[in-house]
Amino acid sequence: MTEREADEAGLAVSLRGVTKVYDSGLVALGPMDLEVRKGEFVSLLGPSGCGKSTALRLIAGLNAPTSGTVRVSRPAAKTGGAHPVGFVFQEPTLMPWTSVRENVRLPLKLANVRPGESDARIDEALAQMGLAEFAGAYPRELSGGMKMRVSLARALVTDPDILLMDEPFAALDEITRFRLNNDLLALWRNLRKTVVFVTHSVFESVYLSQRVLVMTSRPGRIASEIAIATAEPRAEDFRTSSDYAAYCRKVSNALAPSYPGRSVP
Ligand code: ADP
Ligand code: MG
């Protein structure tokens, strides 16, 4: 399938027979097949070291596959600096020496967007993440959750169609994580992005996604997929519902074989 055919089929991401062997000879991934529809929220769930970050980096174009094809739909040319994907890492990776505003400006600068146009877009991204009042703050003045919000604003500022998120909330306390989960769902609904979310948390994957893709241990492949069909929009009460518990059990069971010899943590 060409990029164009994938695009016409309504796919945001398509991986076919993708493998990744690192220079060390380590076989990290695959062969992996994956299709993500435009506007879908999908989680990749698997044990540490199974190749989740590798898969995300291949989709982002940060690494090349050893074999197979990776296709990502390109947005129709819209505003300057538009990039097909935005990437959010587990660490907020902010520049400590400059303000929130300048941190969010970075991708626009790299894309040579005019400063006049940048300012309006930065304001919008900051507002989307509830950061309007913190534009002048420095990273050291912010909590872990706020730093992650800045990181998300920085990913959104180029208005990507696809958000790739690599365990973004794993280091946060539970209440902050739950808030960010809800804010992310609201963003996804309002902005109609495609989200590929990597996590090793069963609970987080079920809460957020329309589809959970369970990976095998290394080299990672998709072992099974579970559609989370529940009433939308989801809110906090979903977390305590019997529906949620049942899906978590189902996903845990699907994940169990990826942890040989142990029960799922
Ligand atoms: P996950 O994100 O699921 O924890 P990764 O994709 O980071 O897994 O890594 C998969 C495997 O590939 C691991 O064994 C890791 O040590 C290895 N790996 C990751 N990046 C590199 C690299 N640049 N060179 C060699 N090995 C790597
Ligand atoms: Mg990882």
Side-chain angles (χ1 to χ4, degrees):
M1 196 180 339
T2 65
E3 211 125 83
R4 175 147 185 198
E5 282 162 349
D7 193 64
E8 282 167 0
L11 295 179
V13 176
S14 155
L15 268 58
R16 288 282 157 85
V18 167
T19 67
K20 179 68 186 177
V21 183
Y22 284 110
D23 291 344
S24 60
L26 183 127
V27 185
L29 193 72
M32 184 158 159
D33 294 300
L34 167 71
E35 287 189 343
V36 182
R37 292 185 294 279
K38 286 182 187 173
E40 202 178 8
F41 196 128
V42 162
S43 284
L44 287 180
L45 175 72
S48 179
C50 78
K52 302 183 295 297
S53 298
T54 299
L56 222 50
R57 282 200 301 269
L58 294 175
I59 297 170
L62 296 173
N63 281 149
T66 305
S67 61
T69 54
V70 175
R71 308 223 185 272
V72 174
S73 72
R74 309 253 143 203
K78 36 186 180 184
T79 43
H83 191 273
V85 303
F87 207 112
V88 181
F89 301 91
Q90 179 172 346
E91 298 298 324
T93 61
L94 303 179
M95 302 180 286
W97 59 85
T98 190
S99 65
V100 165
R101 166 175 289 281
E102 294 313 307
N103 269 284
V104 174
R105 187 187 306 277
L106 181 66
L108 297 176
K109 240 184 190 164
L110 296 174
N112 292 317
V113 177
R114 284 179 300 107
E117 191 189 331
S118 294
D119 286 337
R121 290 173 54 185
I122 294 165
D123 286 341
E124 191 184 345
L126 290 175
Q128 276 161 352
M129 290 315 305
L131 289 167
E133 289 153 44
F134 296 90
Y138 281 76
R140 64 173 175 275
E141 301 174 277
L142 304 178
S143 65
M146 295 294 273
K147 283 184 200 154
M148 188 43 73
R149 285 176 187 278
V150 177
S151 177
L152 259 159
R154 184 182 54 194
L156 289 170
V157 78
T158 51
D159 194 19
D161 288 344
I162 305 170
L163 267 182
L164 304 176
M165 308 184 74
D166 195 354
E167 305 201 33
F169 309 143
L172 302 177
D173 69 78
E174 208 168 33
I175 298 293
T176 305
R177 186 176 187 162
F178 286 1
R179 280 202 190 129
L180 277 158
N181 284 167
N182 289 335
D183 290 352
L184 175 61
L185 281 180
L187 271 178
W188 169 70
R189 277 196 304 271
N190 297 337
L191 303 179
R192 304 185 168 278
K193 306 282 182 203
T194 306
V195 181
V196 183
F197 189 96
V198 161
T199 180
H200 58 244
S201 162
V202 168
F203 305 107
E204 188 168 50
S205 72
V206 171
Y207 188 69
L208 292 174
S209 2
Q210 294 181 301
R211 208 152 50 100
V212 178
L213 304 176
V214 178
M215 290 177 69
T216 63
S217 53
R218 195 184 75 222
R221 287 171 289 106
I222 307 292
S224 54
E225 69 167 74
I226 291 148
I228 313 297
T230 189
E232 302 280 356
R234 298 174 196 187
E236 270 314 309
D237 56 353
F238 178 46
R239 275 192 207 285
T240 47
S241 68
S242 54
D243 237 17
Y244 181 66
Y247 277 123
C248 288
R249 202 157 38 240
K250 198 168 172 187
V251 172
S252 286
N253 289 339
L255 185 61
S258 306
Y259 287 85
R262 266 169 273 150
S263 57
V264 175

